[in-house]
Amino acid sequence: MTSTDPTSRPSVRPTRQRRAVAAALAGFDDFRSAQEIHDLISQQGESVGLATVYRTLATLADAGEVDMLRNEDGEAIWRSCSDTHHHHLVCRTCGATVEVEGPAVERWTSAIASEHGYGDISHTLEIFGTCPACR
Amino acid sequence: MTSTDPTSRPSVRPTRQRRAVAAALAGFDDFRSAQEIHDLISQQGESVGLATVYRTLATLADAGEVDMLRNEDGEAIWRSCSDTHHHHLVCRTCGATVEVEGPAVERWTSAIASEHGYGDISHTLEIFGTCPACR
DNA sequence: GCGAGTTTGACAATCGTTCTCAACCGCGGT
DNA sequence: ACCGCGGTTGAGAACGATTGTCAAACTCGC
Ligand SMILES: [Zn+2]
Ligand SMILES: [Zn+2]
Ligand SMILES: [Zn+2]
Ligand SMILES: [Zn+2]
């Protein structure tokens, strides 16, 4: 985390644990908590410490390879994602998730922001509902 | 919380504690954590249990009198708000908040949802940035 | 095979939030 | 003013997600 020298690489090593987390992430497409992902890894026969799962997920999130958001209880939930900016339509019951894009919304948020003189903008936007299957 | 009889009122009593929380909420217009609000109440000379602060905030949030959202650490933060549906433009540095409305966004979210067959929709949308004063 | 720098995991420690439950209080009826 | 029935409160325990600790294990380039 403290690589001050610009020439040095963070050097993320391909360990068994990180591979296991990646494999687990590939096994579902809804959002899951770190605990659930940890359990899934166990079910897949691997053994990875919970702390390591957290660390790996955080790293992947920084790298933009997984999305992390919070459910209504404030718990962090994760899932692998595409590398373009997008938002989510999540089923409140089964977790089924759809990635959605909204150029109009993106435009709206930056317009609102500059209109009020705010800079360095970021935003969060999630849509929750009940999917067709759960109705 | 369990008023099954439609004729019975929840009957929220005007206690000293609830008045203190309301007074505290009137004293700021940015988002604050329950802890901070609790401290503020103490500074105002009142004494209210932290659990009561949480309970009161939750009640007010249910009634739509305060907004509750989560900061990047997942902590719940609150502030009094207007009674119409709106979102927030929050300064990442000082917390200065602007309530914003976006009919277009509201339309977009429901359109996206029904497009994918999702019903019973709700959504979260917050914009973070740096306010004019903090630039 | 070595050594420096990473990574891991078992467990403790944080910390925000909720639960417990006996004491307390507001309110409507008398 | 007095009573009694809930709603309400507070101190502290309990919870649960997340992070910190640190010695042992591991990767990788040499
Ligand atoms: Zn569903
Ligand atoms: Zn966006
Ligand atoms: Zn500011
Ligand atoms: Zn909205």
Side-chain angles (χ1 to χ4, degrees), chain A residues 118-120, chain B residues 30 90-96 128-131 133-135:
Chain A
Y118 279 58
D120 192 20
Chain B
D30 49 345
V90 185
C91 175
R92 205 178 283 118
T93 304
C94 72
F128 296 95
T130 308
C131 79
C134 290
R135 305 240 255 164

Side-chain angles (χ1 to χ4, degrees), chain B residues 19-37:
Chain B
R19 245 172 282 126
V21 173
L25 283 168
F28 61 91
D29 63 352
D30 49 345
F31 280 90
R32 308 256 177 124
S33 69
Q35 298 272 359
E36 292 172 327
I37 295 174

Side-chain angles (χ1 to χ4, degrees), chain B residues 13 15 17-18 49 52 55:
Chain B
R13 297 179 182 169
T15 64
Q17 290 85 342
R18 294 210 242 253
T52 298
R55 281 187 290 241

Side-chain angles (χ1 to χ4, degrees), chain B residues 17-101:
Chain B
Q17 290 85 342
R18 294 210 242 253
R19 245 172 282 126
V21 173
L25 283 168
F28 61 91
D29 63 352
D30 49 345
F31 280 90
R32 308 256 177 124
S33 69
Q35 298 272 359
E36 292 172 327
I37 295 174
H38 178 254
D39 291 346
L40 187 53
I41 291 173
S42 300
Q43 289 169 31
Q44 297 182 342
E46 293 281 333
S47 173
V48 177
L50 180 56
T52 298
V53 172
Y54 271 106
R55 281 187 290 241
T56 304
L57 287 172
T59 300
L60 291 173
D62 279 348
E65 292 179 50
V66 307
D67 283 328
M68 184 267 263
L69 59 85
R70 294 183 182 278
N71 64 22
E72 298 180 345
D73 294 325
E75 299 175 308
I77 48 181
W78 328 63
R79 72 160 231 161
S80 56
C81 69
S82 60
D83 56 357
T84 59
H85 178 82
H86 58 268
H87 297 283
H88 304 97
L89 172 55
V90 185
C91 175
R92 205 178 283 118
T93 304
C94 72
T97 300
V98 180
E99 285 191 9
V100 298
E101 288 180 58

